[in-house]
């Protein structure tokens, strides 16, 4: 009546029931975290592991398993005095629960302190005032986007300052380094850019090729080696470099009108 279909499979390879496999992995993770220092007590914590899983929000279900089964939100964990329990077993259960929650909070605090210790070991204190000159470290942007002559691996890791660069003017303090020496009179100007990308200076056109009705040209860029030549669409190239003269002989070799 519930529409449940039984599909038998082995215990260690439940390919026919992927959800149970995920549930077993999650419960094992819970027990491993809770009983790491007390491996013989895993049975005592099994009920709490089940409670944690059933009251956790599932992105696939968009609800908790408890709410799917019973149709209502799961009951919260409320602070209860063990002395008010009706039976001694219930009082011990509540007392054990409070001890476990206290230990979990302590372990989380220790994990946070340990993570902070290792994080702070690779960082430095930095303070800047309005008007100070600084260098910017380009983590997710290549230095070549600002200077084509820059080396890659052995090039400078910090860049700046530039005027007109299409980069957001808010950075994390860890990406800034104070400028030493005589500050420049003003920020240097960037070369021409298009859509936030630097437009390098073309040196010559090496080859032209027709691909599915679209012309492409192989451009040798000024200041870059021959292996850095790139294929560009002819129309886009003419739009970005209207003053650059393309030789008609490159396109006449195919015998087609351009």
């Amino acid at each position: 009546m519930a529409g449940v279909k039984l599909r038998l499979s082995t215990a260690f390879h439940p390919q026919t029931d992927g959800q149970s496999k995920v549930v077993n992995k999650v419960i094992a993770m819970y027990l491993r975290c809770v009983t790491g220092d007390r491996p013989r007590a895993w049975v005592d914590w099994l009920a709490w592991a089940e409670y944690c899983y059933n009251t956790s929000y599932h992105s696939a279900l968009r609800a908790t398993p408890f709410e799917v089964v019973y149709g209502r939100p799961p009951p919260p964990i409320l602070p209860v005095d063990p002395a008010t329990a009706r039976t001694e077993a219930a009082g011990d259960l509540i007392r054990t629960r409070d001890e476990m929650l206290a230990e979990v909070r302590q372990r989380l605090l220790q994990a946070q302190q340990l993570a902070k210790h290792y994080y702070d070991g690779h960082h430095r204190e930095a303070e800047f005032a309005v008007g100070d000159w600084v260098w910017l470290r380009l983590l997710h942007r290549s230095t070549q986007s600002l200077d084509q002559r820059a080396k890659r691996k052995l090039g400078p890791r910090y860049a700046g300052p530039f005027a007109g660069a299409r980069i957001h003017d808010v950075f994390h303090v860890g990406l800034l380094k104070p400028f030493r020496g005589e500050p420049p009179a003003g920020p240097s100007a960037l070369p021409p850019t298009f859509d936030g990308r630097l437009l390098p200076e073309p040196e010559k056109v090496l080859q032209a090729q027709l691909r599915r009705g679209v012309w492409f040209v192989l451009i040798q860029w000024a200041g870059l080696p021959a292996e850095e030549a790139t294929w560009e669409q002819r129309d886009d190239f003419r739009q970005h470099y209207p003053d650059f003269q393309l030789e008609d002989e490159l396109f006449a070799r195919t015998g087609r009108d351009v």
Side-chain angles (χ1 to χ4, degrees), residues 17 31 51 57 69 101 105 113 121 138 155 170 203 239 255:
D17 190 0
L31 295 176
Y51 174 85
Y57 180 83
V69 175
L101 293 178
R105 294 190 185 95
Q113 294 175 359
L138 302 176
V170 177
E203 183 176 348
Q239 180 182 0

Side-chain angles (χ1 to χ4, degrees), residues 114-235:
L114 184 63
K116 183 178 183 303
H117 171 74
Y118 285 105
Y119 181 85
D120 294 341
H122 299 280
H123 292 75
R124 51 182 169 76
E125 293 291 337
E127 294 183 2
F128 301 98
V130 178
D132 290 348
W133 290 87
V134 296
W135 295 97
L136 170 64
R137 184 173 184 180
L138 302 176
L139 289 178
H140 304 292
R141 307 174 183 88
S142 173
T143 310
Q144 289 190 338
S145 63
L146 301 178
D147 187 359
Q148 289 289 327
R149 299 169 298 175
K151 303 297 181 181
R152 293 189 176 181
K153 290 186 177 180
L154 301 180
R157 292 185 297 178
Y158 290 84
F162 296 96
R166 299 187 60 182
I167 302 177
H168 201 278
D169 57 355
V170 177
F171 307 99
H172 190 272
V173 68
L175 302 179
L176 302 178
K177 184 173 66 172
F179 179 85
R180 305 295 183 185
E182 187 67 22
S188 58
L190 276 175
T193 58
F194 176 77
D195 197 18
R197 186 184 68 170
L198 180 68
L199 292 179
E201 181 182 358
E203 183 176 348
K204 60 180 178 179
V205 181
L206 304 177
Q207 186 181 354
Q209 190 176 93
L210 186 63
R211 305 176 183 175
R212 298 183 178 181
V214 180
W215 280 102
F216 287 82
V217 289
L218 183 61
I219 305 299
Q220 173 65 49
W221 304 104
L224 296 179
E227 57 269 16
E228 296 290 341
T230 59
W231 288 95
E232 306 289 340
Q233 289 193 21
R234 183 193 61 179
D235 296 340

Side-chain angles (χ1 to χ4, degrees), residues 92-121:
D92 293 340
L93 181 62
I94 296 175
R95 190 179 299 104
T96 304
R97 181 202 66 180
D98 295 340
E99 293 176 356
M100 183 198 70
L101 293 178
E103 291 184 8
V104 169
R105 294 190 185 95
Q106 184 63 26
R107 292 178 182 179
L108 289 176
L109 291 176
Q110 292 177 355
Q112 292 176 358
Q113 294 175 359
L114 184 63
K116 183 178 183 303
H117 171 74
Y118 285 105
Y119 181 85
D120 294 341

Side-chain angles (χ1 to χ4, degrees), residues 76-97:
I77 298 180
L78 301 176
V80 180
D81 187 2
T84 60
R86 295 183 179 181
T87 62
E88 183 177 356
D92 293 340
L93 181 62
I94 296 175
R95 190 179 299 104
T96 304
R97 181 202 66 180

